[in-house]
């Protein structure tokens, strides 16, 4: 349990992309703030109210909205951002599919969108298009009309990237 | 049509996309510098008031606050022009904007002061310590009221800040001949851009005293506006544009850059400013809401004979680009149809509502809601097929429009309309409470800026010693793949792979200025500039290779890293050999090229009788919807969108624009409305301003047609804005088909449908 | 931003003692979703933020003495996916499937939705027709509050400052089927304009018992008992349902807000009720 130190700050330790990240933070710091202040700027801030999904990360196996999660609620948790999926030389199938199918344009919603997609395929490897749309319904995209995003996720689900 | 190119016209996976999916891109808010301080804006909570007293002393003395700036601290507070881009204003209007409100605020949310502090928390606390005393002034919120002579004046003596007209033939005579007349008044919503990335940036003064602003900019030429406000030479301001997380016109007018530059310049510290989602709601401009009164007449055989229209737009509290938006509306008001008698009167009127300015479609979009509803209702009155009626009236290449502009590219509207309708497939069944309907909308939208602005675009291409290439272009990229397009074009011309071309872009002091990413001009202008520069480089190479090979230069081509004889590809030399020889002789394979759009004279009167645009893109969209007659809810079942884009550079990207346009246009038609009540915002974040989610947009069929007759590179036409305009009207026509009642007030919400069904007519709610 | 503290109790007694000391200044996070929103807005200026995720005492989905009990700490996603709910209460699963979106379902709880006490809390009308109860605890006592008596005004309920919700429970119905219709402004995540839930016990379309609840049409979610009476004993067909549903218009007291007018909410509630009843009867739309 977190003890408050003399400065009114709390010790925190979250394992982000398999690395332990420690800090001393205010109680009301959001998980999004904590991640971005620790250079995980790939996690985006779109609205700070949980309405757009740009801040989506996977915490203890679930896709969640980091802007309305207190960082201290994630103390001791394992959190994964889009950077955990792949690298330039070895992209995750979802990342490669997004590129091949042009499932992004400006790319701002993409980190969150990919995490929702990953969480979907982790729990439901063969979703229908309707299930895909449901799974990403908390991630707003203003550029693509969602068409190619659904196409890309479906392609991975169908085994195009094995 | 078989693709005759090696690179363009295919589905290209871009390099920028890779960086984006990996999470590598440093967007505006992701950037930081040592010693960064944080800016916040103090804003008005009155729609119309005089500032009686403003006291920032308590805020200034809060520990951690580095500066608090008011209008007094701005060297040229009233100099920001309404017109943006690389030319100065041309034509009728002079608009007065203020960087920070000095004596008067004209809309809820207007900026009054700037705060910069060591942390965001301190900056927020400082805002609460600013004390302001208002004296409320009379206000007006309805543009029709604001036109009346005794209405409170927003600026100067007249709230009507722009008027444009179309006059052709004799509408009295036309209507006398008409055998069917349809008359309706339409209303379109105040739409919010709702790009997912907020406006954001960082500014600092570098070691050479240059004020740098790194921000999400659709127009890097705003460095000139910054210089003017600060009273420094333009050469001392540098704008570095980031990859933008969505723009749609929302990052076109001045956003954070002037505020940032002021704070950085005054404090000497690097400053970051990001608007909250709420601020994006109540402090950023919107799409102009319009009232459109249309009267359209046709003969029994379906020939249009007359159009009379009265159009009024709400310009909000400051002029910005309202006059230009109105020009677009006026020119496009007839729809893509040849009408012998036309009388259109359009006005843009100031109110104390939120400012309205650029938004994808730029005035060409609102009129579609009127003219495509009119065409649909005419077809119903005449008992004619909707495509057939339109086909009898479509403009053709060679026709002259009601604004006296000749159409110089192909018009494939009938092809597009039939393709879109066919792509819907068999009609869905519906049920006892669910009525299915289908709707079609055809539209035209210009691409390229208005030609009296004398648009130019620059690009610098050079070949490296090893045959790779660098393209330097100022063009910003807001997600539409502007950078990838120039990469693909250079690759095509130079015979290289796309991943051998590095594009460096969007830096006002390092890359040649290519102009704005607005007005669907990026491919047309920066693409043509890149093509020109690449062709110049190619000529340097082929001239040298011609000497080496002993053939005429015009017989040579660049293919797969070699200079080949086009008719005899076995005869070739490696590209690198030609490059080496060029360098040796001092003929460096590089080119800085300028592409010029057609230059015309300014519009000479308020009756538009001059060509205004380089060209138009034509297309159609078809929608199938299901309406629940017990609640009024609309479910969008199917969608097809078909456009002639001349020549695709990247097929993926073209489809992406079309599909994105469907979603954003569907929102305009069915659910989006930025509401204010007496100037006070009601729908200022994603909670209350709703945009389509993945469950609101159906599977979309995109049909890309290529007539090859565009003015862009390789015969391309622009698609960015054309992609959106027809969407809302297609949904509106589908709803009409489903329930038999025309709803003229967009967005067509469930409540509007519910009451329309009960009243059997349109209740204005 | 004010002065906030953080507390994560590991045992129920710890939580209750803390609540006894801090009262209303201690806010349970649960999924946390709304509390941070209120903090960012500035409507909560300070206090203790309490994370109850380690508390076993508020976990669990089980049947006890004929009551289906759901711990206050159970995430909506987990409730939906639990075998027990799938088998024994598929109606609740269908209701929760429409709740917000998957991200929010991974964070929110039933108890949180109830404690928020919004007139449009989507889980509440279905729980009302299931005649749910809230089990609340404080350091002083444990008490059972019928959900129908829980709400007093928009955002307000009868919980005392030192009380927390332990669980939500309802008698597992032996007979009957549920219907639930939510009217939103779009298909995706949407605040309800209005919603209707129905629990119907019918024998070949003859009504033995019916319970009706609505959200978004009054200061709190309501159980529409006056509307229920005319249904009882009736043989229902499409037209009869439509006719009887219209009486609900007299029982609602909606307002006009950014999502819709009072008149719309009033009139559409009849159609929503008719739909919910037809759904419960399995009638084709």
């Amino acid at each position: 349990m977190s003890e408050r130190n003399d400065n009114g700050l709390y010790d925190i330790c979250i394992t982000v992309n398999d690395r332990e990240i420690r800090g001393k933070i205010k109680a009301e710091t959001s998980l999004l703030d904590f991640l971005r202040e620790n250079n995980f700027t790939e996690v985006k801030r779109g609205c700070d109210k949980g309405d757009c999904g740009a801040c989506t990360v996977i915490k203890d196996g679930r896709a969640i909205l980091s802007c309305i999660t207190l960082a201290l609620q994630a103390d001791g948790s394992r959190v994964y951002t889009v950077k955990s999926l792949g690298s330039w030389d070895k992209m995750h199938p979802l990342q490669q599919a997004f590129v091949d199918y042009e499932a992004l344009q400006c790319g701002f919603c993409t980190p969150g969108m990919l995490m929702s997609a990953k969480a979907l395929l982790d729990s439901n490897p063969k979703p229908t298009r309707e299930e895909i749309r449901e799974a990403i319904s908390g991630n707003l995209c203003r550029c693509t009309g969602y068409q190619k995003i659904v196409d890309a996720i479906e392609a991975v689900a169908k085994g195009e990237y094995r | 049509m078989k693709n005759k190119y090696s690179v363009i016209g295919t589905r290209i996976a871009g390099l920028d996309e890779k960086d984006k999916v990996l999470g590598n891109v440093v967007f505006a808010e992701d950037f930081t510098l040592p010693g960064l301080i944080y800016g916040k804006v103090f804003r008005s909570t009155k729609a119309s008031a005089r500032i009686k007293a403003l006291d920032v002393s308590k805020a200034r003395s809060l520990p951690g606050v580095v500066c608090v700036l008011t209008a007094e601290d701005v060297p040229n507070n009233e100099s920001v022009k309404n017109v943006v881009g690389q030319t100065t204003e041309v034509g009728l209007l002079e608009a007065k904007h203020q960087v920070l409100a000095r004596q008067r605020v004209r809309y809820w949310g207007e900026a009054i002061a700037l705060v910069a502090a060591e942390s965001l928390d301190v900056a927020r606390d400082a805002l609460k310590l600013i004390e302001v005393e208002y004296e409320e002034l009379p206000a007006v919120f309805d543009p029709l009221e604001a036109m009346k002579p005794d209405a409170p004046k927003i600026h100067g003596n007249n709230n009507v800040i722009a008027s444009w007209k179309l006059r052709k033939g004799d509408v009295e005579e036309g209507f006398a001949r008409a055998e069917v007349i349809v008359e309706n008044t339409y209303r379109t919503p105040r739409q919010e851009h709702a790009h997912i990335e907020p406006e954001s940036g960082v500014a600092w003064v570098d070691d050479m005293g240059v004020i740098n602003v790194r921000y999400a900019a659709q127009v890097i030429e705003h460095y000139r506006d910054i210089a003017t406000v600060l009273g420094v030479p333009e050469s001392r301001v540098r704008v570095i544009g980031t990859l933008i997380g969505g723009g749609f016109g929302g990052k076109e007018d001045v956003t954070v850059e002037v505020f940032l530059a002021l704070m950085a310049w005054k404090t000497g510290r690097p400053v970051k400013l990001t608007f909250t989602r709420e601020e994006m709601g109540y402090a950023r401009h919107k799409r102009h809401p319009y009232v459109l009164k249309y009267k359209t007449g046709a003969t029994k055989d379906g020939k249009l004979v007359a159009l009379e229209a009265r159009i009024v737009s709400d310009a909000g509290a400051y002029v910005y680009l309202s006059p230009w938006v109105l020009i677009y509306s006026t020119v496009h008001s007839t729809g893509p149809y040849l009408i012998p008698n036309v009388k259109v009167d359009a006005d843009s009127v100031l109110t104390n509502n939120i400012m309205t300015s650029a938004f994808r479609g730029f005035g060409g979009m609102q009129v579609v809601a009127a003219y495509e509803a009119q065409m649909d209702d005419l077809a119903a009155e005449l008992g004619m097929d909707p495509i057939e009626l339109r086909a009898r009236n479509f403009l053709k290449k060679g026709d002259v429009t009601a604004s006296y502009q000749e159409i110089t590219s192909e018009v494939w509207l009938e092809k597009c309309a039939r393709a879109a309708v066919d792509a819907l497939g068999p009609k869905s069944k519906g049920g006892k409470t669910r009525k299915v309907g289908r709707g079609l909308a055809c539209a035209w939208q210009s691409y390229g800026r208005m030609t009296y602005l004398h648009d130019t675009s620059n690009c610098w291409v050079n070949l490296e010693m090893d045959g790779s290439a660098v393209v330097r272009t100022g063009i910003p990229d807001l997600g539409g793949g502007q950078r990838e397009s120039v990469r693909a074009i250079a690759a095509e011309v130079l015979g290289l792979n796309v991943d051998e071309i590095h594009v460096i872009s969007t830096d006002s002091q390092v890359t040649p200025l290519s102009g704005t990413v607005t007005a669907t001009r990026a491919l047309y202008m920066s693409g043509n500039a890149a093509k020109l520069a690449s062709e110049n480089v190619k000529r340097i190479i082929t001239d040298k290779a011609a000497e080496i090979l002993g053939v005429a230069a015009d017989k040579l081509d660049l293919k797969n890293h070699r200079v080949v004889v086009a008719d005899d590809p076995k005869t070739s030399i490696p590209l690198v050999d030609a490059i080496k020889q060029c360098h040796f002789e001092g003929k460096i394979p590089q080119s800085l090229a300028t592409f010029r759009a057609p230059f015309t004279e300014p519009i000479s009167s308020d009756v538009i009788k001059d060509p205004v645009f380089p060209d138009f893109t034509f297309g159609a969209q078809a929608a199938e919807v299901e309406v629940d007659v017990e609640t009024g809810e609309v479910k969008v079942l199917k969608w097809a969108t078909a456009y002639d884009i001349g020549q695709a550079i990247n097929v993926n990207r073209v489809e992406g624009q079309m599909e994105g346009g469907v979603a954003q246009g569907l929102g305009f038609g069915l659910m989006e409305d930025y509401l204010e009540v007496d100037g006070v915002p009601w729908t200022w974040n994603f909670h209350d301003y709703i945009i389509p989610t993945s469950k609101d947009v159906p599977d979309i069929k995109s049909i890309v047609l290529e007539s090859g007759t565009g003015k862009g590179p390789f015969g391309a036409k622009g698609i960015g804005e054309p992609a959106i305009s027809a969407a809302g009207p297609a949904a509106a026509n589908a709803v009409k088909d489903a329930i038999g009642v025309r709803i003229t007030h967009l967005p067509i919400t469930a409540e509007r449908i519910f009451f329309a069904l009960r009243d059997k007519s349109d209740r204005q709610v | 931003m004010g002065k906030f503290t953080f507390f994560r109790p590991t045992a129920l007694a710890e939580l209750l003692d803390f609540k006894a000391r801090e009262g209303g200044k201690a806010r349970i996070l649960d999924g946390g979703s709304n509390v941070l929103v209120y903090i960012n807005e500035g409507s909560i200026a300070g206090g203790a933020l309490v994370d109850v995720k380690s508390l076993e005492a508020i976990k669990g989905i089980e049947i006890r003495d004929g009551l289906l009990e759901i711990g206050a700490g159970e995430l909506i996603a987990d409730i939906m996916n639990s075998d027990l709910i799938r088998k024994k209460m598929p109606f609740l699963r269908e209701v929760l499937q429409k709740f917000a979106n998957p991200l929010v379902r991974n964070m929110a709880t039933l108890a949180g939705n109830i404690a928020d006490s919004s007139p449009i809390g989507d889980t509440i009308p279905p729980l009302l027709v299931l005649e749910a109860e809230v089990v609340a605890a404080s350091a002083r006592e444990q008490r059972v509050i019928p959900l129908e008596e829980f709400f007093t005004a928009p955002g307000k309920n009868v919980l005392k400052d030192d009380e927390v919700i332990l669980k939500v429970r309802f008698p597992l119905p032996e007979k009957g089927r549920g219907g639930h219709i939510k009217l939103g402004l779009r298909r995706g995540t949407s605040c309800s304009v209005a919603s209707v839930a129905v629990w119907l016990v019918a024998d070949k379309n003859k009504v033995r018992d019916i319970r009706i609840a609505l959200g978004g049409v009054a200061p709190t979610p309501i159980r529409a008992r006056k509307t229920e009476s005319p249904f009882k004993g009736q043989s229902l067909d499409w037209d009869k349902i439509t006719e009887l549903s219209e009486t609900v218009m007299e029982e609602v007291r909606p307002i006009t807000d950014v999502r819709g007018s009072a008149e719309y909410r009033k009139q559409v509630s009849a159609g929503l009720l008719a739909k919910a009843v037809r759904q419960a009867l399995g009638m084709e739309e």
Side-chain angles (χ1 to χ4, degrees), chain B residues 200-222:
Chain B
S200 179
V202 176
W204 66 95
V205 182
D206 70 19
D207 54 355
M208 289 186 278
V210 173
I211 300 156
N212 287 252
V213 187
R214 181 185 190 278
Y215 76 108
Q218 284 182 241
V219 180
I220 61 175
E221 287 82 355
H222 280 308

Side-chain angles (χ1 to χ4, degrees), chain C:
Chain C
M1 291 293 169
K3 305 250 175 278
F4 290 93
T5 58
F6 180 79
F7 175 54
R8 184 188 285 166
T10 50
L12 181 60
E14 241 187 295
L15 169 63
L16 297 180
D17 284 339
F18 188 76
K19 257 303 223 173
R21 286 198 309 276
E22 301 287 323
K25 287 195 281 129
R27 279 188 171 70
I28 311 285
L29 290 170
D30 279 49
S33 15
N34 285 320
V35 176
L36 252 185
V37 175
Y38 299 145
I39 293 176
N40 285 338
E41 274 173 6
S43 39
I44 301 179
L49 303 170
V50 184
D51 181 13
V52 295
K53 83 169 188 204
S54 318
L55 232 42
E56 284 309 309
I58 56 167
K59 292 242 180 19
I61 303 169
E62 52 193 6
I63 299 177
R64 200 193 298 201
D65 299 331
L67 294 169
L68 202 156
E69 304 196 331
I70 301 173
E74 287 292 334
L75 297 174
I76 289 190
D78 292 340
I79 301 170
M80 265 172 63
N81 291 325
S82 87
D83 281 334
L84 194 59
I85 298 291
R86 278 177 197 267
K87 287 200 193 85
K88 298 286 188 181
M89 236 304 112
F91 171 61
L92 188 59
R93 180 181 153 78
E94 280 161 33
V95 166
L96 295 180
Q97 205 133 34
K98 294 182 226 163
F99 187 85
N101 60 57
L103 303 171
V104 174
R105 295 198 287 268
N106 279 340
M107 304 167 67
T109 59
L110 277 186
N113 203 227
I114 292 170
D116 211 35
S117 303
S118 163
I120 54 171
D122 276 338
T123 64
I124 300 169
L127 290 171
L128 282 172
V129 299
L130 290 170
E131 300 197 319
E133 323 174 299
V134 168
V135 178
S138 66
R140 303 171 285 109
E141 59 165 1
Q142 225 181 69
R143 61 178 178 130
V144 177
I145 310 165
L147 193 61
E148 206 177 335
E149 295 162 25
F150 189 79
F151 310 101
T152 57
K156 305 246 181 291
N157 56 53
V158 300
L159 278 183
K160 307 241 185 316
D161 278 350
D162 64 345
E163 282 180 314
V164 305
I165 298 178
L166 277 191
K167 58 181 98 165
V168 178
R169 66 189 193 194
F170 53 87
L172 207 52
E174 281 164 46
K175 288 202 266 287
R177 286 178 57 174
H180 176 239
I181 306 291
K182 177 194 152 99
L183 174 63
L185 292 173
R186 65 181 175 189
R187 302 268 143 189
T189 322
S190 181
C191 282
S192 291
V193 177
S195 69
V196 178
V198 154
W199 190 264
L200 178 65
V201 183
D203 189 7
K204 292 196 201 357
N205 288 10
K206 187 162 173 171
V207 179
R208 299 252 167 264
D209 191 21
I210 187 169
R211 301 177 211 148
I212 300 170
L214 297 107
V217 293
T220 69
I222 57 170
R223 174 85 186 266
R225 290 180 187 277
K226 288 202 206 102
T227 308
E228 290 168 6
S229 315
F231 275 90
K232 295 197 174 133
Q234 293 287 331
S235 284
L236 296 181
D237 63 16
W238 189 287
D239 292 333
K240 197 73 187 156
I241 295 170
T242 307
E243 180 200 318
L244 292 171
S245 297
E246 291 190 349
T247 57
V248 78
M249 291 198 280
E250 287 149 48
E251 206 166 352
V252 301
R253 312 169 326 267
I255 56 165
T256 293
D257 67 9
V258 67
R259 279 177 284 280
S261 70
E263 191 57 32
Y264 177 52
R265 286 187 163 98
K266 179 171 154 195
Q267 292 199 31
V268 82
S269 59
L272 294 176
L273 175 54
K275 276 188 191 318
V277 173
R278 294 194 309 255
Q279 193 186 94
L281 283 171
M283 283 173 92
E284 210 189 290
E285 290 289 311

